[in-house]
Amino acid sequence: MIWSWDYARSVLPILLDVIGTTMLATLWGFLIACTVGMVLAIARRSRFALVRMTINGFIQFVRNTPLLVQLFFLYYAVPMAFGFTMTAFTAGIVGLGLHYSTYMAEVYRSGIDGVDRGQWEAARALNFTKQQTWTRIILPQAVPPILPIMGNYLIVVFKETPLLAAITVMELLSRANNIVARDWRPTEPYTLVGILFLVISLLLSGLVSLLEYKLAQRQKR
């Protein structure tokens, strides 16, 4: 028999047991991506050419190398080269965060470029410091329009979490692999993993759509 509902029901709780790890990796990775991405976006506008070149070089390097390679480097190479060890989970969220921070930097750039130039001039006329200009004028106007795009990247980060299985993080795919290795029944575990990813992705997508709707309604007022 190809599919057994009894077997599927028996392994589902085992898979659900690691949903928390998957969601934590997603949320922490996305938080790091948003934070570091903001720093990168602001640093790219530095008046110092060396800073701009360094940041652009870092972004291009990270974006043009596979995330899986970066995860292996953080988990296996960094401890050997620098003596700095991380748990697999920490290496996973750092890898996810740094990788997608380079994409978030571009998202922030588009939001910042969308702020009217007159806002910068007004800040200078009012003798605002750089910190005041960014925190009180530019970012409050730049971030709201890009929130839906940021939400889409949250979904992307979630769908990338199976890569953490490669560095032994016990998330959904890792647990499914263990079940398959134990019982040698791949159909049910992998199908359930696919369904769980689909359901959660659709829920996150629904939240992003709701956010877009709320922002559209606010702009009409």
Side-chain angles (χ1 to χ4, degrees):
M1 186 176 181
I2 297 177
W3 179 270
S4 170
W5 285 107
D6 289 336
Y7 181 70
R9 283 192 292 268
S10 70
V11 300
L12 181 59
I14 302 175
L15 294 173
L16 293 176
D17 188 53
V18 293
I19 281 285
T21 300
T22 301
M23 296 308 299
L24 277 177
T26 300
L27 295 176
W28 276 109
F30 183 68
L31 179 62
I32 293 172
C34 290
T35 304
V36 178
M38 177 75 74
V39 173
L40 294 175
I42 294 175
R44 289 178 76 178
R45 303 177 68 91
S46 172
R47 68 175 184 270
F48 300 107
L50 181 60
V51 174
R52 295 197 304 271
M53 291 174 59
T54 301
I55 295 299
N56 285 328
F58 172 78
I59 289 174
Q60 290 301 318
F61 175 80
V62 172
R63 291 184 67 170
N64 289 286
T65 53
L67 173 57
L68 186 58
V69 173
Q70 295 165 18
L71 292 173
F72 278 133
F73 179 81
L74 287 170
Y75 187 56
Y76 295 110
V78 167
M80 293 185 65
F82 305 102
F84 179 73
T85 58
M86 291 182 284
T87 64
F89 183 77
T90 301
I93 63 174
V94 170
L96 285 170
L98 289 181
H99 185 82
Y100 281 99
S101 69
T102 60
Y103 293 90
M104 292 301 302
E106 189 65 20
V107 174
Y108 285 127
R109 183 201 62 77
S110 66
I112 293 169
D113 288 349
V115 176
D116 188 88
R117 192 170 185 82
Q119 300 295 313
W120 297 90
E121 296 171 355
R124 285 194 293 270
L126 293 170
N127 291 320
F128 277 20
T129 65
K130 287 185 177 180
Q131 180 180 354
Q132 289 173 326
T133 300
W134 281 107
T135 58
R136 296 186 182 183
I137 297 179
I138 304 303
L139 292 180
Q141 298 180 68
V143 172
I146 62 173
L147 284 176
I149 305 174
M150 296 171 66
N152 289 331
Y153 272 106
L154 172 63
I155 298 172
V156 173
V157 172
F158 170 67
K159 291 191 291 186
E160 291 281 32
T161 54
L163 289 176
L164 304 187
I167 57 171
T168 72
V169 175
M170 188 55 66
E171 44 71 64
L172 274 172
L173 184 60
S174 301
R175 182 58 58 86
N177 287 335
N178 288 348
I179 293 172
V180 172
R182 182 194 67 187
D183 301 333
W184 198 241
R185 289 186 63 99
T187 304
E188 292 88 351
Y190 290 142
T191 301
L192 290 173
V193 167
I195 291 172
L196 288 172
F197 268 96
L198 175 62
V199 170
I200 296 174
S201 294
L202 289 174
L203 290 174
L204 292 176
S205 180
L207 290 175
V208 172
S209 297
L210 179 61
L211 177 61
E212 292 179 1
Y213 174 77
K214 293 292 186 182
L215 288 174
Q217 291 298 110
R218 180 175 296 181
Q219 291 173 356
K220 291 179 180 179
R221 296 174 182 175

